[in-house]
Amino acid sequence: MIIERQLAPYVVFSEDPLLTALQKITANKARQIFCVSEHGHLDGSLSDGDFRRWIVDQPTPDLATATLSVANTSLTRVVEGTPIPDIEALFRPGITHIPIVDAQERLVAIAVQGAAELRLGRHLVGPDAPAVVIAEIGNNHNGSVALAKELTDLAVEAGADIVKFQLRDMAALYRHQGDALTTGEDLGAQYTLDLLSKFSLSTEQMYEVFDHAKARDIDVMCTPWDIPSLDALAAYGVPALKIASADLTNHTLLRAAAGHGLPMVLSTGMSTEAEIRETVRLVRGAGVPFALLQCQSTYPAPYASLNLAYMGRLAEIGACPVGYSGHERGWHVPIAAVARGAKIVEKHFTVDRSMEGNDHVVSLLPDEFAAMVREIREVEESLGSTAPRVVSAGEVMNRANLAKSLVATRRIEVGQRIDADAVAVKSPGRGLQPNRMGELVGRQSVRVVEAGDFFYDGDVDDTAARPRPYTFHRPWGVPVRYHDLFPILEAGSNPDFVEFHYSYKDLDIEPSAVFSERLPIGYTCHLPDLFAGDFILDLASFDDAVWERSIHEMQRSIDRTRQLRPYFTQDEDPIFVATLGGFTKDGFVDRDRVPAMYERIADGLARVDTSGVRLCPQTLPPYPWLMGGQQYHNLFLHLDDTVAFAETYGYRLTFDISHSKLAANHTGTPWSAYVEQLTPLSEHFHVVDATGVDGEGVQVGEGEVDFAALAEAMDRMAPGRSFIPEIWMGHVNTGQGFWHALNLLEEWF
């Protein structure tokens, strides 16, 4: 059990609407909130169960209803000062959070059963939260308030979650005073005491630094080395305390710290397991939230003594979050600690490792600390979960290129039995995977399969989508390549147009080699991303050679698009969909570089003859899959600059739903904002689902897009604008993925 005194996540005002309460319940993951009056008096509690029981009885539930009218007002509560064992005795199934009130019935804390988490300021420390990274400035300000503030600023820029300092009352802490401070001490102690006497900040100076941290919007922690310092920190209102390794056995200080009810982070350096267990019993008995840090208290610490594996043991001993406080050289060990489960990382921070003081030598410089934070976040992304493995979006694309498929060795007629000798395993992996041979052999073919053709899901699945005529209240088409154009057109459906997704080799094919007559439909075209020689078109590049070739390749693609005009029946100029560039290989660019990149694109487009086509730049995802791996897009990603480009330069957009949904997830912008602002600026839509930040091309209904709401917005703000279903690998088996998507979309579009 812990006693939680940071109440904001668990409290709503009694008159707040139910919607506010439900949002709090979802955010705090406790499945419960408490209702208080405007003066903080406890009025009641609301749980998931309370809400469900209420809504069942409401013929027309109104989420604007005051929370207290639905809450339980006969809840279990205890008075502040109730012994911990007495509180623990009140927990039972269904009661995991017990409110603690003062003599005036004001809510002052919440007893939480079996909590394996705590809060450090605004940061949750727990199994489902990212690691909290603490920049340990300590005494590395060397007695300068100005340097302490500068270090705080640099820590903010480096991505630290919290800055931490140390506070000492030298008179209360050491046995000698004045000039006799180091008299009779050993050499090491004399050195340390001499540094501290020169470099410690006073309480008033520390408050000034704390105020600066608050102004920079970063949480602050501090290590009290004595009771007066502890009281000063509590009086200021620090959100949490750090207990140094040197004080893990200082039960007097620990009891006093627990008395303030603040969360504690305890380093375990210089202590035996028996001493750690003893301290855990003391702290747990006080009911305060706490975490334990594995630490080796030598400066610098040898790698052989760091023992990251002991974090698992600490988690068992403390039944609490664990982390790592590092004094070794470099920043690779904290990253490894996160991979092993550290939920707090503390690392010393300085501007100059040559400064006086033994903490400087084990400290990271600002750019090194920033690298550590960045790599910790990358490692956290990579950790994943123990859920059953699925093939990632990038792997799906690479499997199509690199894996093998089942291929026909001879022509097979409709109704003919598919024998084993009619099937071979060949590359690439566009068709059925080889492990499905047993499902295929022995079946009767549902279609004519030519020698060398792939077998597909539809050859073994009788429920697979088949093409048919569709009815939509806007023009619709399907993506094609030259080689599958006529099979898709002859499949039995009725598209208004086709969209040619060029490969760079398609640009070398003369239209007369493909078409012999005029087709009674329209067409659009899509610029290739990749060209010969591993060249990716990028009109935003400041490399003149890349920029010039990009202009050339775009012009060549547009010229070929114009040359298709005689073979199609449409009055309007064809839409030309283009990814205009702005990708990077190793990370996103600083946002302040983005305007110049858009200007570079505009300058490039000014040199392209776009007559005869409607150039519609497409919206882009944060993490595109290019050349077999993941890269980064910087343009047509953020909502504000995408809108600004379209409005400034007068271009209509191709609104790629999957790309922009991933962008919304990545930027933390509501998807509804993308829909409302981009739809009226769009000439054409690529309709497809999405998951997360890099799951693009997902089949309709298998991702996160609300297609009913999307269709309503398109009808309202872009009536009559065209769309295609752009499902990844939707073209295989004569467009099976497209037909399935269209079956679903017909309900809304």
Side-chain angles (χ1 to χ4, degrees):
M1 185 201 82
I2 65 168
I3 296 177
E4 177 63 75
R5 295 182 184 274
Q6 296 190 50
L7 301 180
Y10 302 96
V11 170
V12 295
F13 289 117
S14 298
E15 297 305 314
D16 280 346
L18 269 174
L19 181 59
T20 300
L22 293 174
Q23 290 169 336
K24 279 283 183 83
I25 288 173
T26 300
N28 69 24
K29 301 180 182 179
R31 308 178 70 84
Q32 185 174 20
I33 55 91
F34 296 93
C35 310
V36 298
S37 71
E38 59 180 309
H39 300 297
H41 296 101
L42 179 64
D43 290 337
S45 69
L46 181 76
S47 67
D48 278 348
D50 296 324
F51 175 73
R52 286 195 297 270
R53 285 187 289 273
W54 172 80
I55 202 168
V56 166
D57 295 334
Q58 303 301 310
T60 56
D62 181 3
L63 293 183
T65 300
T67 298
L68 185 59
S69 66
V70 182
N72 170 25
T73 56
S74 302
L75 67 162
T76 300
R77 67 187 76 192
V78 297
V79 177
E80 189 174 22
T82 300
I84 297 297
D86 292 350
I87 299 176
E88 290 180 328
L90 296 174
F91 290 116
R92 59 180 183 272
I95 298 182
T96 58
H97 292 69
I98 297 175
I100 301 173
V101 298
D102 64 12
Q104 287 75 44
E105 288 290 312
R106 291 176 300 207
L107 183 65
V108 294
I110 301 169
V112 184
Q113 183 183 38
E117 59 186 36
L118 72 157
R119 290 183 182 274
L120 303 178
R122 290 164 288 182
H123 303 283
L124 178 67
V125 182
D128 299 323
V132 174
V133 183
I134 301 173
E136 162 64 315
I137 295 172
N139 283 330
N140 279 356
H141 47 67
N142 283 27
S144 167
V145 170
L147 181 55
K149 292 178 180 179
E150 180 186 353
L151 285 163
T152 298
D153 294 340
L154 292 169
V156 171
E157 294 168 9
D161 296 310
I162 296 173
V163 288
K164 192 185 82 65
F165 297 91
Q166 300 176 16
L167 185 62
R168 293 171 174 83
D169 184 315
M170 300 297 287
L173 184 58
Y174 292 103
R175 63 191 182 118
H176 294 301
Q177 303 302 319
D179 294 337
L181 182 63
T182 63
T183 302
E185 303 295 351
D186 291 336
L187 181 60
Q190 282 187 340
Y191 170 74
T192 300
L193 294 173
D194 181 51
L195 286 177
L196 294 176
S197 65
K198 290 192 298 182
F199 294 155
S200 290
L201 294 179
S202 69
T203 298
E204 291 71 23
Q205 289 173 315
M206 193 62 75
Y207 284 0
E208 183 180 345
V209 176
F210 291 171
D211 288 344
H212 180 76
K214 186 182 297 183
R216 289 304 312 268
D217 197 32
I218 187 169
D219 287 319
V220 68
M221 289 176 62
C222 194
T223 299
W225 284 81
D226 49 76
I227 301 296
S229 296
L230 168 66
D231 293 340
L233 295 177
Y236 181 85
V238 294
L241 298 169
K242 170 67 192 300
I243 303 299
S245 293
D247 276 317
L248 193 72
T249 59
N250 184 350
H251 293 184
T252 301
L253 181 65
L254 292 173
R255 287 193 185 93
H260 288 290
L262 294 171
M264 286 194 282
V265 178
L266 304 104
S267 279
T268 59
M270 299 188 290
S271 294
T272 66
E273 183 168 305
E275 291 166 340
I276 295 169
R277 288 182 180 277
E278 190 177 40
T279 291
V280 165
R281 284 193 295 271
L282 186 157
V283 176
R284 180 175 290 120
V288 294
F290 69 97
L292 298 174
L293 303 187
Q294 169 64 357
C295 180
Q296 174 59 222
S297 297
T298 52
Y299 304 80
Y303 298 119
S305 67
L306 299 180
N307 198 9
L308 294 182
Y310 195 68
M311 286 192 301
R313 183 79 165 165
L314 285 177
E316 294 174 3
I317 293 169
C320 65
V322 297
Y324 178 69
S325 178
H327 300 125
E328 71 291 328
R329 297 177 178 90
W331 65 89
H332 52 295
V333 173
I335 296 168
V338 170
R340 292 195 66 100
K343 289 299 177 180
I344 300 173
V345 167
E346 179 184 71
K347 191 71 175 167
H348 286 266
F349 188 70
T350 189
V351 290
D352 184 353
R353 275 193 286 266
S354 68
M355 291 175 69
E356 184 180 3
N358 57 357
D359 282 352
H360 289 286
V361 70
V362 298
S363 297
L364 297 181
L365 300 172
D367 60 333
E368 296 170 337
F369 197 95
M372 181 187 74
V373 173
R374 182 175 63 251
E375 291 165 19
I376 283 174
R377 301 307 178 212
E378 291 169 354
V379 165
E380 287 176 328
E381 280 190 84
S382 74
L383 290 177
S385 73
T386 57
R389 194 185 193 285
V390 297
V391 180
S392 72
E395 287 180 319
V396 168
M397 297 178 186
N398 282 343
R399 187 159 77 171
N401 297 326
L402 302 175
K404 296 179 174 64
S405 302
L406 300 180
V407 176
T409 61
R410 61 173 182 265
R411 180 182 170 93
I412 303 173
E413 302 292 341
V414 175
Q416 185 177 349
R417 174 187 166 90
I418 303 172
D419 295 322
D421 63 356
V423 185
V425 176
K426 301 284 186 181
S427 287
R430 289 173 50 201
L432 278 180
Q433 295 286 293
N435 62 337
R436 303 186 70 181
M437 177 81 80
E439 298 176 59
L440 180 66
V441 171
R443 289 181 63 94
Q444 289 185 330
S445 181
V446 297
R447 62 188 177 95
V448 174
V449 184
E450 298 290 350
D453 279 359
F454 295 105
F455 291 99
Y456 298 108
D457 283 334
D459 295 310
V460 296
D461 182 0
D462 295 330
T463 66
R466 307 292 180 192
R468 62 174 176 80
Y470 296 94
T471 301
F472 294 102
H473 48 270
R474 61 179 61 247
W476 68 277
V478 288
V480 296
R481 296 275 306 284
Y482 285 152
H483 65 266
D484 59 16
L485 167 64
F486 291 105
I488 284 180
L489 289 180
E490 295 165 2
S493 191
N494 59 330
D496 297 302
F497 63 93
V498 291
E499 182 164 302
F500 291 102
H501 283 219
Y502 291 131
S503 73
Y504 66 87
K505 287 191 174 182
D506 290 342
L507 299 179
D508 296 329
I509 299 174
E510 290 294 331
S512 59
V514 178
F515 305 100
S516 59
E517 59 184 1
R518 197 176 194 194
L519 300 177
I521 58 173
Y523 76 106
T524 61
C525 293
H526 196 305
L527 175 73
D529 294 326
L530 179 67
F531 291 82
D534 289 347
F535 180 78
I536 300 175
L537 186 144
D538 188 2
L539 283 176
S541 176
F542 287 90
D543 180 323
D544 286 341
V546 171
W547 192 62
E548 291 289 349
R549 183 176 175 187
S550 296
I551 293 170
H552 169 75
E553 299 292 7
M554 172 165 278
Q555 187 66 70
R556 192 161 67 99
S557 302
I558 289 174
D559 291 345
R560 182 62 78 200
T561 298
R562 281 196 292 257
Q563 292 167 6
L564 297 180
R565 190 71 174 267
Y567 300 99
F568 292 89
T569 306
Q570 68 181 45
D571 296 327
E572 290 185 295
D573 291 337
I575 289 170
F576 184 79
V577 180
T579 298
L580 297 179
F583 69 92
T584 43
K585 294 182 178 180
D586 300 317
F588 296 105
V589 302
D590 292 336
R591 291 294 308 282
D592 58 7
R593 290 177 53 192
V594 165
M597 296 171 72
Y598 277 116
E599 290 177 10
R600 183 73 162 168
I601 284 178
D603 290 344
L605 291 177
R607 292 180 47 188
V608 177
D609 176 9
T610 60
S611 61
V613 302
R614 287 176 285 164
L615 175 62
C616 296
Q618 71 168 329
T619 60
L620 298 175
Y623 302 102
W625 299 100
L626 295 170
M627 297 176 62
Q630 192 181 73
Q631 298 195 25
Y632 303 82
H633 265 315
N634 299 283
L635 307 183
F636 302 98
L637 167 71
H638 290 271
L639 182 56
D640 54 353
D641 55 57
T642 303
V643 170
F645 179 87
E647 293 179 342
T648 300
Y649 298 105
Y651 287 101
R652 303 283 293 172
L653 300 172
T654 294
F655 189 176
D656 188 297
I657 303 304
S658 183
H659 290 174
S660 291
K661 174 58 175 167
L662 301 178
N665 292 346
H666 169 73
T667 62
T669 305
W671 168 236
S672 58
Y674 274 76
V675 173
E676 291 296 320
Q677 294 189 50
L678 294 181
T679 298
L681 298 173
S682 299
E683 190 75 9
H684 184 51
F685 295 82
H686 286 173
V687 178
V688 58
D689 221 327
T691 59
V693 296
D694 60 4
E696 66 176 280
V698 177
Q699 180 58 267
V700 170
E702 296 180 7
E704 303 167 6
V705 175
D706 182 341
F707 285 97
L710 174 66
E712 184 279 328
M714 290 171 62
D715 287 345
R716 176 165 42 88
M717 295 183 287
R721 301 303 180 190
S722 57
F723 81 95
I724 62 166
E726 198 184 22
I727 313 304
W728 170 248
M729 296 297 289
H731 62 285
V732 302
N733 197 12
T734 320
Q736 180 182 319
F738 301 145
W739 312 132
H740 180 59
L742 292 165
N743 285 340
L744 298 170
L745 292 172
E746 196 173 33
E747 175 185 352
W748 304 298
F749 285 63

